[in-house]
Amino acid sequence: MKAFEAAKFELSVERAARLHEQAVVAEKDAFIADLKELIGKLEGQIAQYRQAKFGPKSEKLDPAQLELALEDLETAKAETEARIAAVEERIAASAPDAE
């Protein structure tokens, strides 16, 4: 009977370890998805900045329009930096769990 209980306990430990590993993988997948989304957003911001700065010379912008465009980019940059910080905090918080 002891061998049966020991085997049963071993199986429950293995099941718990497997579930934990699946949770860790799912959490890392979520981090990766968040980071990919942030990368896409940053690439879009870079493209907008390049268009505003190096766009065709025939499309002269009024200085006020250029200022508005730059303000929008700075706002988007601040939002993105905040999201990056939040993801970094989530990664730092999960680091002890991975060990």
Side-chain angles (χ1 to χ4, degrees):
M1 215 42 171
K2 285 185 181 182
F4 177 73
E5 292 297 323
K8 189 175 172 183
F9 176 74
E10 235 179 88
L11 287 174
S12 67
V13 169
E14 287 179 19
R15 188 177 311 123
R18 194 174 329 111
L19 290 174
H20 175 72
E21 185 65 28
Q22 289 173 349
V24 168
V25 168
E27 186 177 29
K28 287 184 180 185
D29 287 344
F31 289 150
I32 290 169
D34 286 347
L35 291 174
K36 283 182 178 181
E37 182 182 338
L38 288 172
I39 289 169
K41 188 172 184 176
L42 288 171
E43 287 174 345
Q45 289 174 1
I46 290 169
Q48 288 176 344
Y49 174 73
R50 283 186 179 148
Q51 180 64 30
K53 183 162 174 91
F54 303 113
K57 301 298 180 199
S58 63
E59 295 179 11
K60 299 281 184 187
L61 286 179
D62 180 348
Q65 288 178 324
L66 181 58
E67 193 63 36
L68 285 174
L70 291 176
E71 284 177 17
D72 289 344
L73 288 174
E74 286 183 13
T75 301
K77 177 185 170 213
E79 290 172 358
T80 303
E81 287 174 346
R83 290 192 58 202
I84 289 171
V87 170
E88 286 174 342
E89 287 174 12
R90 285 176 49 202
I91 290 171
S94 71
D97 293 341
E99 293 174 5

